[in-house]
Amino acid sequence: MSADGGPEGPVHYGYTAGVAERFAANPVPGGRYPGRVIRVDRNLVLVADGGGTTHLPYPRGGELPATGDWVWLGSNAAGEPAIVGVVPRHSELSRKRAFEASSEAQVLGANMDVVGIVVPVDRPLTHNRLERTLVAAWDSGATPLVIITKADIADLADDVVGTVVRQSAGVDVVTTSAENGDGLDELLGHLPPGGTLVLLGPSGAGKSTLINALAGAATQEIGAVRAGDGKGRHTTTSRALVPLPGGAVLMDTPGVRGFGIFDAEDGMEEMFGDLEELFEQCRFSDCAHGREPGCAIQAALADGVLAERRWASYLKLQRELAALARRHDAAARRAYQREWHQKIAVAGKSQRSAERDSQENARDRGGKGSQGGKGGRRRPR
């Protein structure tokens, strides 16, 4: 039951005793019963509650909901059903928005327990894409999991699996074949009871086929993959939750062509922990890892302990984070300057107003004095 004795939450969409405790710890005025955001459309939000699903308008104030959010449901001023609050997220997967000039984050999903990075065996493995997605997955607060799809292509699977395991830096790797049903139980075994798994991967990676196999029904449209370049069309056009028979929940996402990281310092530490250990072995604490004597990074590169590709990938991600931080700081400086100029303008207006009032008061006092005397201004003797 909800905090005030209302209906149960949406069990088919991951509502558990632990989620109920989060609602109880985060009450909001007017919040009557719990719900979960299944999908966010352009004008409406599809929400599941204990009785089913319904489309609701965006909340008028506060935080905007994302797919996977737990929300308090109640009524608006007109007495209509409405979202009245968003429960704080325990995980959030974000990326930098597609246009490079922006420093804003785009929330891809909320309250997931496992981030599944889908890697198909029938196309070349993009190492930088895998690493940057793993960085974002670690930084989300969820547990990363690499999911290899289309493993029934036996002549390719072994090489891809070995390469992925080496590049995943300790992250578990599951090999699946949706066509044959292989690896599905192992995949579900990584989810806690009622847990949520979000799938990330390029178009044509086999996400929709995998979801259909896990759900036991054709819940997702499947598109053909072009033979020329191995690319598929985007059969998934929006992020949405898909309930599974065992109580877990899947979050499908559109094919992600690029994954510009937003703010992933924690994720960088998890993904490149081996480099952090090398940094501590450098002779100088401020080593730039170039030509300085005693540089552990350069020594590892020379000995082959550290791959040139991995070091280049780390540097590229660091440059991206630094550039994003500069854009963010520039935006913050502009906002501060606007606020400061506004304060100066208000203060100046107040000062001018005060001076004008002072002059008017002085004139009033002078006028009263001339009216009070019979002979006007008195001459000094």
Side-chain angles (χ1 to χ4, degrees), residues 220-262:
Q220 301 290 297
E221 180 187 354
I222 299 173
V225 177
R226 295 196 298 263
D229 55 10
K231 294 181 180 180
R233 64 186 179 88
H234 294 276
T235 54
T236 303
T237 57
S238 63
R239 284 164 284 278
L241 299 184
V242 178
L244 299 181
V249 182
L250 274 171
M251 183 186 299
D252 193 13
T253 60
V256 180
R257 290 192 178 92
F259 207 102
I261 52 179
F262 174 65

CSV table of all heavy atoms in Angstrom, one decimal, residues 220-262:
chain,number,residue,atom,x,y,z
A,220,GLN,N,8.8,-5.5,-29.5
A,220,GLN,CA,9.5,-4.5,-30.2
A,220,GLN,C,9.5,-4.8,-31.7
A,220,GLN,O,9.7,-6.0,-32.1
A,220,GLN,CB,10.9,-4.3,-29.7
A,220,GLN,CG,11.0,-4.0,-28.2
A,220,GLN,CD,10.6,-2.6,-28.0
A,220,GLN,OE1,11.2,-1.6,-28.4
A,220,GLN,NE2,9.5,-2.4,-27.2
A,221,GLU,N,9.4,-3.8,-32.6
A,221,GLU,CA,9.5,-4.0,-34.0
A,221,GLU,C,11.0,-4.2,-34.3
A,221,GLU,O,11.9,-3.6,-33.7
A,221,GLU,CB,9.0,-2.7,-34.8
A,221,GLU,CG,9.1,-2.8,-36.3
A,221,GLU,CD,8.8,-1.5,-36.9
A,221,GLU,OE1,8.4,-0.6,-36.3
A,221,GLU,OE2,9.0,-1.5,-38.2
A,222,ILE,N,11.2,-5.1,-35.3
A,222,ILE,CA,12.6,-5.5,-35.7
A,222,ILE,C,12.8,-5.0,-37.1
A,222,ILE,O,12.0,-5.3,-38.0
A,222,ILE,CB,12.8,-7.0,-35.5
A,222,ILE,CG1,12.6,-7.4,-34.1
A,222,ILE,CG2,14.2,-7.4,-36.0
A,222,ILE,CD1,12.6,-8.9,-33.9
A,223,GLY,N,13.9,-4.3,-37.3
A,223,GLY,CA,14.3,-3.8,-38.6
A,223,GLY,C,15.4,-4.6,-39.2
A,223,GLY,O,16.3,-5.2,-38.5
A,224,ALA,N,15.5,-4.6,-40.6
A,224,ALA,CA,16.6,-5.2,-41.2
A,224,ALA,C,17.9,-4.4,-41.1
A,224,ALA,O,17.9,-3.2,-41.0
A,224,ALA,CB,16.3,-5.5,-42.7
A,225,VAL,N,19.0,-5.1,-41.2
A,225,VAL,CA,20.3,-4.5,-41.1
A,225,VAL,C,20.9,-4.5,-42.5
A,225,VAL,O,20.9,-5.5,-43.2
A,225,VAL,CB,21.3,-5.3,-40.2
A,225,VAL,CG1,22.7,-4.7,-40.2
A,225,VAL,CG2,20.7,-5.3,-38.8
A,226,ARG,N,21.4,-3.4,-43.0
A,226,ARG,CA,22.0,-3.3,-44.3
A,226,ARG,C,23.2,-4.1,-44.4
A,226,ARG,O,24.1,-4.1,-43.6
A,226,ARG,CB,22.3,-1.8,-44.6
A,226,ARG,CG,21.1,-0.9,-44.7
A,226,ARG,CD,21.4,0.4,-45.4
A,226,ARG,NE,22.5,1.2,-44.7
A,226,ARG,CZ,22.2,2.2,-43.9
A,226,ARG,NH1,20.9,2.5,-43.6
A,226,ARG,NH2,23.2,2.8,-43.3
A,227,ALA,N,23.3,-4.8,-45.5
A,227,ALA,CA,24.5,-5.7,-45.7
A,227,ALA,C,25.7,-4.9,-46.0
A,227,ALA,O,26.8,-5.4,-45.7
A,227,ALA,CB,24.2,-6.7,-46.9
A,228,GLY,N,25.6,-3.8,-46.6
A,228,GLY,CA,26.8,-3.0,-47.0
A,228,GLY,C,27.6,-2.5,-45.9
A,228,GLY,O,28.8,-2.6,-45.9
A,229,ASP,N,27.0,-1.9,-44.9
A,229,ASP,CA,27.7,-1.3,-43.8
A,229,ASP,C,27.3,-1.8,-42.4
A,229,ASP,O,27.8,-1.4,-41.4
A,229,ASP,CB,27.6,0.2,-43.8
A,229,ASP,CG,26.1,0.7,-43.7
A,229,ASP,OD1,25.2,-0.2,-43.5
A,229,ASP,OD2,25.9,1.9,-43.9
A,230,GLY,N,26.4,-2.8,-42.4
A,230,GLY,CA,26.0,-3.4,-41.1
A,230,GLY,C,25.2,-2.5,-40.2
A,230,GLY,O,25.0,-2.8,-39.1
A,231,LYS,N,24.6,-1.4,-40.8
A,231,LYS,CA,23.8,-0.5,-40.0
A,231,LYS,C,22.4,-0.8,-40.2
A,231,LYS,O,21.9,-1.2,-41.2
A,231,LYS,CB,24.1,1.0,-40.4
A,231,LYS,CG,25.5,1.4,-40.1
A,231,LYS,CD,25.7,2.9,-40.6
A,231,LYS,CE,27.1,3.3,-40.2
A,231,LYS,NZ,27.4,4.7,-40.7
A,232,GLY,N,21.6,-0.6,-39.1
A,232,GLY,CA,20.2,-0.8,-39.2
A,232,GLY,C,19.4,0.5,-38.9
A,232,GLY,O,20.0,1.5,-38.4
A,233,ARG,N,18.2,0.5,-39.3
A,233,ARG,CA,17.4,1.7,-39.1
A,233,ARG,C,16.9,1.6,-37.7
A,233,ARG,O,16.8,0.6,-37.0
A,233,ARG,CB,16.2,1.7,-40.1
A,233,ARG,CG,15.2,0.6,-39.9
A,233,ARG,CD,14.1,0.6,-41.0
A,233,ARG,NE,13.2,-0.4,-40.9
A,233,ARG,CZ,12.1,-0.4,-40.2
A,233,ARG,NH1,11.8,0.7,-39.5
A,233,ARG,NH2,11.2,-1.4,-40.2
A,234,HIS,N,16.5,2.8,-37.1
A,234,HIS,CA,16.1,2.9,-35.7
A,234,HIS,C,14.7,2.4,-35.6
A,234,HIS,O,13.7,3.1,-35.7
A,234,HIS,CB,16.2,4.4,-35.3
A,234,HIS,CG,17.6,4.9,-35.3
A,234,HIS,ND1,18.4,4.7,-34.2
A,234,HIS,CD2,18.3,5.6,-36.2
A,234,HIS,CE1,19.6,5.3,-34.5
A,234,HIS,NE2,19.5,5.8,-35.7
A,235,THR,N,14.5,1.1,-35.2
A,235,THR,CA,13.2,0.6,-34.9
A,235,THR,C,12.7,1.1,-33.6
A,235,THR,O,11.4,1.1,-33.4
A,235,THR,CB,13.2,-1.0,-34.9
A,235,THR,OG1,14.2,-1.4,-34.0
A,235,THR,CG2,13.6,-1.5,-36.3
A,236,THR,N,13.5,1.4,-32.7
A,236,THR,CA,13.1,2.1,-31.4
A,236,THR,C,13.3,3.6,-31.6
A,236,THR,O,14.4,4.0,-31.8
A,236,THR,CB,13.9,1.5,-30.2
A,236,THR,OG1,13.8,0.1,-30.2
A,236,THR,CG2,13.4,2.1,-28.9
A,237,THR,N,12.2,4.3,-31.4
A,237,THR,CA,12.3,5.8,-31.6
A,237,THR,C,12.2,6.5,-30.3
A,237,THR,O,12.3,7.8,-30.3
A,237,THR,CB,11.1,6.2,-32.5
A,237,THR,OG1,9.9,5.8,-31.9
A,237,THR,CG2,11.3,5.6,-33.9
A,238,SER,N,11.9,5.9,-29.2
A,238,SER,CA,11.8,6.6,-27.9
A,238,SER,C,12.2,5.6,-26.8
A,238,SER,O,12.1,4.4,-26.9
A,238,SER,CB,10.4,7.2,-27.6
A,238,SER,OG,9.5,6.1,-27.5
A,239,ARG,N,12.7,6.1,-25.6
A,239,ARG,CA,13.0,5.3,-24.5
A,239,ARG,C,11.7,4.8,-23.8
A,239,ARG,O,10.8,5.6,-23.6
A,239,ARG,CB,13.9,6.0,-23.5
A,239,ARG,CG,15.3,6.2,-24.0
A,239,ARG,CD,16.1,7.2,-23.2
A,239,ARG,NE,15.7,8.6,-23.7
A,239,ARG,CZ,16.2,9.1,-24.7
A,239,ARG,NH1,17.1,8.5,-25.5
A,239,ARG,NH2,15.8,10.3,-25.1
A,240,ALA,N,11.6,3.5,-23.5
A,240,ALA,CA,10.4,3.0,-22.9
A,240,ALA,C,10.7,1.8,-22.1
A,240,ALA,O,11.7,1.1,-22.3
A,240,ALA,CB,9.4,2.6,-24.0
A,241,LEU,N,9.9,1.5,-21.0
A,241,LEU,CA,10.0,0.4,-20.2
A,241,LEU,C,9.2,-0.8,-20.7
A,241,LEU,O,8.1,-0.6,-21.2
A,241,LEU,CB,9.5,0.7,-18.8
A,241,LEU,CG,10.3,1.9,-18.0
A,241,LEU,CD1,9.7,2.0,-16.6
A,241,LEU,CD2,11.8,1.6,-18.0
A,242,VAL,N,9.8,-2.0,-20.6
A,242,VAL,CA,9.1,-3.2,-21.1
A,242,VAL,C,9.2,-4.2,-19.9
A,242,VAL,O,10.3,-4.6,-19.5
A,242,VAL,CB,9.8,-3.8,-22.3
A,242,VAL,CG1,9.2,-5.1,-22.7
A,242,VAL,CG2,9.9,-2.8,-23.4
A,243,PRO,N,8.0,-4.5,-19.3
A,243,PRO,CA,8.0,-5.5,-18.2
A,243,PRO,C,8.3,-6.9,-18.7
A,243,PRO,O,7.9,-7.3,-19.8
A,243,PRO,CB,6.6,-5.4,-17.6
A,243,PRO,CG,5.8,-4.9,-18.8
A,243,PRO,CD,6.7,-4.1,-19.6
A,244,LEU,N,9.1,-7.7,-17.9
A,244,LEU,CA,9.4,-9.1,-18.2
A,244,LEU,C,8.6,-10.0,-17.3
A,244,LEU,O,8.2,-9.6,-16.2
A,244,LEU,CB,10.9,-9.3,-18.0
A,244,LEU,CG,11.8,-8.4,-18.9
A,244,LEU,CD1,13.3,-8.8,-18.6
A,244,LEU,CD2,11.5,-8.6,-20.3
A,245,PRO,N,8.4,-11.2,-17.8
A,245,PRO,CA,7.6,-12.2,-17.0
A,245,PRO,C,8.1,-12.4,-15.6
A,245,PRO,O,7.3,-12.6,-14.7
A,245,PRO,CB,7.6,-13.4,-17.8
A,245,PRO,CG,7.9,-13.0,-19.2
A,245,PRO,CD,8.8,-11.8,-19.1
A,246,GLY,N,9.4,-12.4,-15.4
A,246,GLY,CA,9.9,-12.7,-14.0
A,246,GLY,C,9.9,-11.5,-13.1
A,246,GLY,O,10.3,-11.7,-11.9
A,247,GLY,N,9.4,-10.4,-13.5
A,247,GLY,CA,9.3,-9.2,-12.6
A,247,GLY,C,10.3,-8.2,-12.8
A,247,GLY,O,10.2,-7.1,-12.3
A,248,ALA,N,11.3,-8.5,-13.6
A,248,ALA,CA,12.3,-7.5,-14.0
A,248,ALA,C,11.8,-6.5,-15.1
A,248,ALA,O,10.7,-6.8,-15.6
A,248,ALA,CB,13.6,-8.1,-14.5
A,249,VAL,N,12.5,-5.5,-15.3
A,249,VAL,CA,12.0,-4.5,-16.3
A,249,VAL,C,13.2,-4.1,-17.2
A,249,VAL,O,14.3,-4.0,-16.8
A,249,VAL,CB,11.6,-3.2,-15.6
A,249,VAL,CG1,11.0,-2.2,-16.6
A,249,VAL,CG2,10.5,-3.5,-14.6
A,250,LEU,N,12.9,-4.0,-18.5
A,250,LEU,CA,13.8,-3.6,-19.5
A,250,LEU,C,13.5,-2.2,-20.0
A,250,LEU,O,12.4,-1.8,-20.1
A,250,LEU,CB,13.8,-4.5,-20.7
A,250,LEU,CG,14.6,-5.8,-20.7
A,250,LEU,CD1,14.3,-6.7,-21.8
A,250,LEU,CD2,16.1,-5.5,-20.6
A,251,MET,N,14.6,-1.4,-20.2
A,251,MET,CA,14.4,-0.1,-20.8
A,251,MET,C,15.2,-0.1,-22.1
A,251,MET,O,16.4,-0.2,-22.2
A,251,MET,CB,15.0,1.0,-19.9
A,251,MET,CG,14.9,2.4,-20.4
A,251,MET,SD,15.7,3.6,-19.3
A,251,MET,CE,14.9,3.4,-17.8
A,252,ASP,N,14.4,0.0,-23.2
A,252,ASP,CA,15.0,0.1,-24.5
A,252,ASP,C,15.3,1.5,-24.8
A,252,ASP,O,14.6,2.5,-24.4
A,252,ASP,CB,14.0,-0.5,-25.5
A,252,ASP,CG,14.7,-0.8,-26.9
A,252,ASP,OD1,15.9,-0.7,-26.9
A,252,ASP,OD2,14.0,-1.0,-27.9
A,253,THR,N,16.3,1.8,-25.6
A,253,THR,CA,16.7,3.1,-26.0
A,253,THR,C,16.9,3.1,-27.5
A,253,THR,O,17.3,2.1,-28.1
A,253,THR,CB,18.0,3.6,-25.3
A,253,THR,OG1,19.0,2.7,-25.7
A,253,THR,CG2,17.8,3.6,-23.8
A,254,PRO,N,16.7,4.3,-28.2
A,254,PRO,CA,17.0,4.3,-29.6
A,254,PRO,C,18.5,4.1,-29.8
A,254,PRO,O,19.3,4.3,-28.9
A,254,PRO,CB,16.6,5.8,-30.0
A,254,PRO,CG,15.7,6.2,-28.9
A,254,PRO,CD,16.1,5.5,-27.7
A,255,GLY,N,18.8,3.6,-31.0
A,255,GLY,CA,20.2,3.4,-31.3
A,255,GLY,C,21.1,4.7,-31.1
A,255,GLY,O,20.7,5.7,-31.6
A,256,VAL,N,22.1,4.6,-30.3
A,256,VAL,CA,22.9,5.7,-30.0
A,256,VAL,C,24.1,5.8,-30.9
A,256,VAL,O,25.0,5.0,-30.8
A,256,VAL,CB,23.4,5.6,-28.5
A,256,VAL,CG1,24.2,6.9,-28.1
A,256,VAL,CG2,22.1,5.5,-27.6
A,257,ARG,N,24.1,6.8,-31.8
A,257,ARG,CA,25.3,6.9,-32.7
A,257,ARG,C,26.5,7.4,-32.0
A,257,ARG,O,27.6,6.9,-32.3
A,257,ARG,CB,24.9,7.9,-33.9
A,257,ARG,CG,23.8,7.3,-34.8
A,257,ARG,CD,23.8,8.2,-36.1
A,257,ARG,NE,22.8,7.7,-37.0
A,257,ARG,CZ,21.5,8.0,-37.1
A,257,ARG,NH1,21.0,8.9,-36.2
A,257,ARG,NH2,20.7,7.5,-38.0
A,258,GLY,N,26.3,8.3,-31.1
A,258,GLY,CA,27.5,8.9,-30.4
A,258,GLY,C,27.1,9.0,-28.9
A,258,GLY,O,26.0,9.1,-28.6
A,259,PHE,N,28.2,8.9,-28.1
A,259,PHE,CA,27.9,9.0,-26.7
A,259,PHE,C,28.8,10.0,-26.1
A,259,PHE,O,29.9,9.7,-25.5
A,259,PHE,CB,28.1,7.6,-26.0
A,259,PHE,CG,27.2,7.5,-24.8
A,259,PHE,CD1,26.1,6.7,-24.8
A,259,PHE,CD2,27.6,8.1,-23.6
A,259,PHE,CE1,25.3,6.6,-23.7
A,259,PHE,CE2,26.8,7.9,-22.4
A,259,PHE,CZ,25.7,7.2,-22.5
A,260,GLY,N,28.5,11.3,-26.2
A,260,GLY,CA,29.3,12.4,-25.6
A,260,GLY,C,29.1,12.4,-24.1
A,260,GLY,O,28.0,12.5,-23.6
A,261,ILE,N,30.1,12.1,-23.4
A,261,ILE,CA,30.0,12.0,-21.9
A,261,ILE,C,29.7,13.4,-21.3
A,261,ILE,O,30.3,14.4,-21.8
A,261,ILE,CB,31.2,11.3,-21.3
A,261,ILE,CG1,32.5,12.0,-21.7
A,261,ILE,CG2,31.2,9.9,-21.6
A,261,ILE,CD1,33.7,11.4,-21.1
A,262,PHE,N,28.9,13.5,-20.3
A,262,PHE,CA,28.6,14.8,-19.7
A,262,PHE,C,29.5,15.1,-18.6
A,262,PHE,O,30.2,16.1,-18.6
A,262,PHE,CB,27.1,14.7,-19.2
A,262,PHE,CG,26.7,16.0,-18.5
A,262,PHE,CD1,26.6,17.2,-19.2
A,262,PHE,CD2,26.4,15.9,-17.2
A,262,PHE,CE1,26.3,18.3,-18.5
A,262,PHE,CE2,26.0,17.1,-16.5
A,262,PHE,CZ,25.9,18.3,-17.2
